């Protein structure tokens, strides 16, 4: 996903010399294509995320489109006030890019697990929050935030994600994407955990269970229309995210449901409000914390 | 108008604005007044007529709590009506305690949380470098603000990227919120710290306008280094009972002795050629 991001942004930046990457000394190898082709449009701000974000705001206030780049919680939580005051309040054209949403850096430990970022970023007014679900969504999201004036957050996986969509026409910020029409249960997912949803659906299909599935590459603004349509036509909405329970994607869906009614009950698959302390790969941690394909399939069956 | 006149008016407005609003930070407003006056009056290429000019100079008040000084300077330089200064802190006002750009012509950037503005200024200075633009970016920083780690992140960055069009002025009034800087997190040797970070360092009397002007001229001669002007100031400068007294970081001049005494002292040193804007009101 990060390679898709860099490749897509490189194409954009070749055509628009106002596009810059400011990295917090991360992206070894990954940023190389960009560095090789456009060395004058990339800046290493060092391991100093607060200054990195303010520098980006300063550049953006002068008309540049600046992508801050780092991993895990470093481009967000480490410098959240700079994003709030310097970027969002000034409507600065800064695109905060996180590589490693969720348990991507599983074995590196809790410090590197980004499991509250969606909640925290979505709490900021004037910040658009995107978490693409596969490589195709990542490409489209990278293009979409370039077009979108203002501060955006792009939460990526890392590497090894699949292309799940064959192709994607008419990608729009704020719009969910229908994967399949089913019945009874509607699964909504955001971010790279879409992969697990997909796997769960294959398993369920063999058992004759076909839920409706949407991905939500945008968490803010959330697609209220799809949520309400599904709430009226299903018994259960199941949200899936590689993120903490509090304030994240499931909470965003819950807010819409609570304010607008709807028939469906809400079930959230998420990290159950704790810090992850188990050591292991992304796949292993998803299983340990009950957010993998098996856990998703189980929740669907419980509510079928 | 000359810079001495502007500095006096900034102090006069500062006393009035904090008096009316019961606002904080008069000590900082008085300590920074001369720096702000010299910058807006004599140094920076910024006026109500060139706000959209991409080659205008940029001024960011990183120590946003002295916002009243900026508002006063902008009003006196014709960016907006000085009548509006009386609304500082008030319900529905555009003039928040910490400086905000929303709807206020001439305010380049909103600040208030310390250690932000100087870094944004570095970003703007980097922009000038990248695009070969002639403008300078000035950041006014507090000495207490230098407790913030982000200031030193910026100091590393500005040196690395040779931001010679970045000029940081430290309002070095030796005091912060609760105590003297020396008793809080000692900054000394302050000039040496900046030198060690690779900066062009100028040490001046921050209340002497000629020294300030000369420092800005020298700063602009720097070829590949960012400049820090350490402007040695007195917190509460101009009102004897406010000087060197930590009380006046937060206290506002109350009716009676405090307000009257402050005005009396200011009037004793009022430059010729200007009138007290609030006495005009009374007439």
């Amino acid at each position: 996903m990060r390679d898709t991001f860099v490749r897509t942004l490189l194409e954009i930046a070749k055509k628009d010399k106002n596009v810059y990457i400011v990295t917090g000394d991360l992206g070894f190898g990954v940023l190389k294509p960009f560095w090789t082709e456009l060395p004058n449009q990339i800046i290493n701000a060092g391991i100093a995320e607060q200054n990195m974000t303010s520098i980006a705001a300063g550049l953006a206030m002068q008309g540049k489109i600046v992508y801050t780049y780092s991993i895990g919680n470093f481009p967000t939580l480490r410098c959240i006030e700079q994003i709030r005051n310097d970027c969002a309040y000034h409507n600065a054209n800064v695109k905060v890019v996180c590589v490693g949403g969720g348990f991507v850096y599983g074995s590196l430990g809790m410090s590197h697990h980004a499991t509250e970022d969606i909640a925290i970023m979505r709490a900021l007014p004037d910040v658009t929050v995107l978490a693409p679900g596969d490589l195709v969504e990542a490409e489209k999201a990278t293009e979409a935030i370039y077009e979108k004036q203002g501060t955006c957050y792009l939460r990526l996986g890392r590497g090894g994600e699949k292309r799940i969509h064959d192709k994607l026409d008419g990608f729009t910020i704020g719009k969910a994407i229908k994967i399949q029409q089913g019945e009874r249960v509607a699964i909504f997912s955001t971010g790279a955990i879409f992969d697990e949803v997909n796997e769960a659906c294959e398993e369920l299909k063999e058992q004759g269970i076909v839920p409706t599935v949407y991905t939500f590459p945008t968490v803010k603004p959330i697609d209220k229309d799809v949520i309400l349509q599904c709430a009226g036509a299903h018994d259960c909405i199941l949200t899936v995210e590689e993120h903490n329970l509090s304030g994240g994607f499931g909470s965003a869906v819950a807010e819409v449901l609570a304010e607008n009614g709807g028939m469906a009950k809400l079930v959230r698959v998420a990290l159950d409000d704790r810090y992850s302390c188990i050591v292991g790969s992304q796949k292993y941690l998803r299983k340990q914390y009950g957010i993998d394909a098996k856990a998703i399939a189980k929740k669907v069956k419980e509510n079928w | 108008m000359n810079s001495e006149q502007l500095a006096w008016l900034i102090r006069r407005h500062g006393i009035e604005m904090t008096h009316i609003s019961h606002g904080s930070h008069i000590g900082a407003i008085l300590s920074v007044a001369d720096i702000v006056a010299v910058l807006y009056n004599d140094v920076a290429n910024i006026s109500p007529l060139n706000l959209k000019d991409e080659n205008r100079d940029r001024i960011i008040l990183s120590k946003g709590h002295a916002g009243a000084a900026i508002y006063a300077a902008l009003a006196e330089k014709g960016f907006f009506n000085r009548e509006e200064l009386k609304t500082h802190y008030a319900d529905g006002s555009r003039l928040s305690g910490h400086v905000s750009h929303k709807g206020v012509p001439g305010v380049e950037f909103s600040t208030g949380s310390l250690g932000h503005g100087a870094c944004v200024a570095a970003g703007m200075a980097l922009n000038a470098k990248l695009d070969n633009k002639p403008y300078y970016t000035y950041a006014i920083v507090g000495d207490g603000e230098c407790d913030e780690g982000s200031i030193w992140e910026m100091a590393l960055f500005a040196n690395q990227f040779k931001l010679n069009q970045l000029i940081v002025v430290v309002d070095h009034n030796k005091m912060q919120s609760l105590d003297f800087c020396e008793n809080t997190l000692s900054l000394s040797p302050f000039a040496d710290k900046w030198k060690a970070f690779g900066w062009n360092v100028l040490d001046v009397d921050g209340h002497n306008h000629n020294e300030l002007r000369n420092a800005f001229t020298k700063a602009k001669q720097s070829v590949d280094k960012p400049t820090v002007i350490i402007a040695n100031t007195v917190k509460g400068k101009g009102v004897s009972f406010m000087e060197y007294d930590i009380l006046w970081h937060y206290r506002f001049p109350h009716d009676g002795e405090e307000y009257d005494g402050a005005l009396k002292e200011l009037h004793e040193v009022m430059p010729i050629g200007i009138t007290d804007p609030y006495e005009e009101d009374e007439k």
Side-chain angles (χ1 to χ4, degrees):
Chain A
M1 212 177 254
R2 57 184 187 182
D3 293 330
T4 304
F5 160 74
V6 173
R7 198 167 49 241
T8 308
L9 190 61
L10 176 59
E11 289 312 309
I12 293 169
K14 278 187 200 165
K15 291 181 204 128
D16 185 349
K17 64 176 178 49
N18 277 319
V19 171
Y20 278 77
I21 293 178
V22 182
T23 172
D25 199 38
L26 283 162
F28 183 74
V30 181
L31 292 174
K32 199 176 173 192
F34 199 102
W35 228 303
T36 310
E37 290 210 44
L38 298 174
N40 295 324
Q41 285 170 249
I42 182 163
I43 288 154
N44 186 356
I47 310 162
E49 294 79 8
Q50 296 183 74
N51 184 59
M52 168 183 80
T53 305
S54 298
I55 291 285
L59 288 172
M61 292 300 285
Q62 311 309 318
K64 300 208 172 355
I65 303 167
V66 190
Y67 289 70
T68 57
Y69 179 98
S70 189
I71 70 165
N73 298 305
F74 310 147
T76 53
L77 275 62
R78 181 70 188 231
C79 47
I80 191 69
E81 197 187 57
Q82 278 77 10
I83 297 171
R84 178 183 184 269
N85 296 8
D86 303 348
C87 301
Y89 183 60
H90 291 85
N91 200 27
N93 230 340
V94 174
K95 319 300 176 186
V96 176
V97 180
C98 153
V99 169
F103 293 135
V104 163
Y105 294 105
S107 298
L108 298 189
M110 171 273 184
S111 63
H112 282 55
H113 300 164
T115 47
E116 301 85 31
D117 55 324
I118 292 176
I120 288 165
M121 295 300 282
R122 125 183 143 80
L124 299 179
D126 296 329
V127 176
T128 303
V129 178
L130 286 93
D134 79 335
L135 299 182
V136 183
E137 287 185 17
E139 179 186 329
K140 298 291 183 189
T142 304
E143 290 166 354
I145 59 173
Y146 164 70
E147 298 287 347
K148 167 95 184 158
Q149 163 67 39
T151 305
C152 298
Y153 175 48
L154 179 64
R155 183 202 218 223
L156 300 172
R158 183 169 60 164
E161 290 88 2
K162 298 169 188 156
R163 288 179 73 92
I164 299 177
H165 300 286
D166 291 330
K167 67 181 182 111
L168 210 46
D169 295 322
F171 181 97
T172 309
I173 287 176
K175 293 286 171 218
I177 300 165
K178 187 192 273 187
I179 305 302
Q180 65 182 42
Q181 180 66 48
E183 54 176 357
R184 296 196 210 179
V185 176
I187 305 178
F188 296 163
S189 80
T190 194
I193 201 153
F194 177 37
D195 199 15
E196 302 282 346
V197 172
N198 215 36
E199 202 181 311
C201 286
E202 281 167 23
E203 183 193 318
L204 290 165
K205 199 174 169 187
E206 287 167 15
Q207 300 163 38
I209 296 172
V210 181
T212 297
V213 178
Y214 279 88
T215 67
F216 281 65
T218 316
V219 178
K220 186 180 183 178
I222 193 92
D223 190 339
K224 287 183 186 169
D225 294 342
V226 162
I227 295 170
L228 295 177
Q229 274 167 25
C230 289
H234 296 78
D235 302 326
C236 174
I237 287 175
L238 188 77
T239 61
V240 181
E241 63 198 299
E242 195 167 351
H243 183 275
N244 195 30
L245 202 55
S246 292
F249 171 60
S251 295
V253 172
E255 287 162 16
V256 175
L257 291 173
E259 284 182 343
N260 296 280
M263 297 290 289
K265 131 190 194 195
L266 175 69
V267 176
R268 293 180 293 166
V269 174
L271 178 62
D272 56 348
D273 208 18
R274 54 181 159 156
Y275 295 109
S276 43
C277 58
I278 300 169
V279 179
S281 67
Q282 183 178 29
K283 196 84 189 152
Y284 179 77
L285 292 187
R286 284 173 174 176
K287 186 176 173 210
Q288 291 298 314
Y289 289 104
I291 60 171
D292 66 340
K294 285 246 169 339
I296 295 163
K298 186 164 170 267
K299 289 281 183 199
V300 172
K301 281 190 268 184
E302 281 170 12
N303 291 284
W304 191 253
Chain B
M1 188 185 296
N2 65 40
S3 63
E4 296 287 353
Q5 292 168 331
L6 180 56
W8 190 89
L9 286 164
I10 290 171
R11 290 195 166 90
R12 179 65 187 87
H13 285 306
I15 295 289
E16 197 69 22
M17 289 163 78
T18 52
H19 174 68
I20 295 172
S21 66
H22 297 188
S24 296
H25 308 120
I26 184 62
I29 294 162
L30 295 174
S31 79
V32 84
D34 295 295
I35 297 164
V36 171
V38 168
L39 257 179
Y40 278 93
N41 204 70
D42 299 337
V43 176
N45 164 33
I46 175 171
S47 78
L49 300 177
N50 76 351
L51 281 181
K52 295 225 180 326
D53 181 352
E54 58 181 30
N55 291 326
R56 76 187 182 283
D57 290 336
R58 276 76 164 160
I59 299 174
I60 296 182
L61 181 72
S62 198
K63 50 178 295 177
H65 53 283
I70 297 292
Y71 294 142
L74 291 173
E76 288 297 338
K77 297 305 280 183
F79 287 81
F80 55 86
N81 195 312
R82 67 154 69 133
E83 274 297 301
E84 192 173 346
L85 296 175
K86 293 177 188 164
T87 70
H88 188 229
Y89 274 65
D91 294 348
S93 173
R94 298 192 295 182
L95 308 181
S96 51
H98 295 80
V99 72
S100 177
H101 74 290
K102 294 259 168 164
V104 188
V107 174
E108 193 71 51
F109 205 80
S110 300
T111 56
S113 179
L114 297 172
H116 286 234
C119 306
V120 173
M124 292 182 178
L126 175 65
N127 183 73
K129 194 112 195 161
L130 293 169
D131 290 357
N132 244 330
K133 293 216 162 74
Y135 69 82
Y136 282 81
T137 306
Y138 301 92
I140 304 169
V141 175
D143 47 9
E145 185 177 5
C146 293
D147 290 357
E148 295 281 4
S150 56
I151 291 292
W152 302 101
E153 293 183 2
M154 181 282 295
L156 290 169
F157 184 93
N159 171 59
Q160 186 72 33
F161 287 84
K162 303 188 191 320
L163 302 183
N164 63 309
Q165 283 158 270
L166 173 66
I167 300 175
V168 168
V169 189
V170 180
D171 176 16
H172 193 17
N173 61 30
K174 325 292 188 298
M175 298 172 95
Q176 48 196 93
S177 170
L178 297 184
D179 203 341
F180 286 89
C181 299
E182 206 53 34
N183 299 335
T184 309
L185 295 177
S186 172
L187 295 164
S188 54
F190 195 41
D192 288 346
K193 282 193 171 67
W194 289 98
K195 275 179 203 150
F197 275 74
W199 285 54
N200 177 35
V201 183
L202 302 166
D203 212 301
V204 302
D205 175 349
H207 299 305
N208 182 316
H209 290 209
N210 279 334
E211 281 196 31
L212 283 167
R213 275 187 288 268
N214 288 339
F216 284 116
T217 304
K218 272 189 208 157
K220 288 185 182 184
Q221 289 159 3
S222 177
V223 184
D224 57 0
K225 284 181 178 183
T227 295
V228 59
I229 298 172
I230 298 174
N232 291 285
T233 55
V234 173
K235 196 153 181 170
K237 175 72 178 181
V239 178
S240 58
F241 58 86
M242 292 183 182
E243 294 181 0
Y244 298 111
D245 186 349
I246 201 71
L247 178 70
W248 293 97
H249 184 79
Y250 290 117
R251 189 175 174 82
F252 67 90
H254 286 55
D255 276 331
E257 280 179 19
E258 292 175 0
Y259 177 68
D260 296 342
L263 287 195
K264 182 167 175 287
E265 288 195 27
L266 280 188
H267 279 133
E268 281 165 7
V269 295
M270 188 161 98
I272 50 167
I274 51 170
T275 49
D276 183 327
Y278 298 95
E279 283 176 5
E280 279 173 35
D281 282 357
E282 283 164 23
K283 286 175 201 163

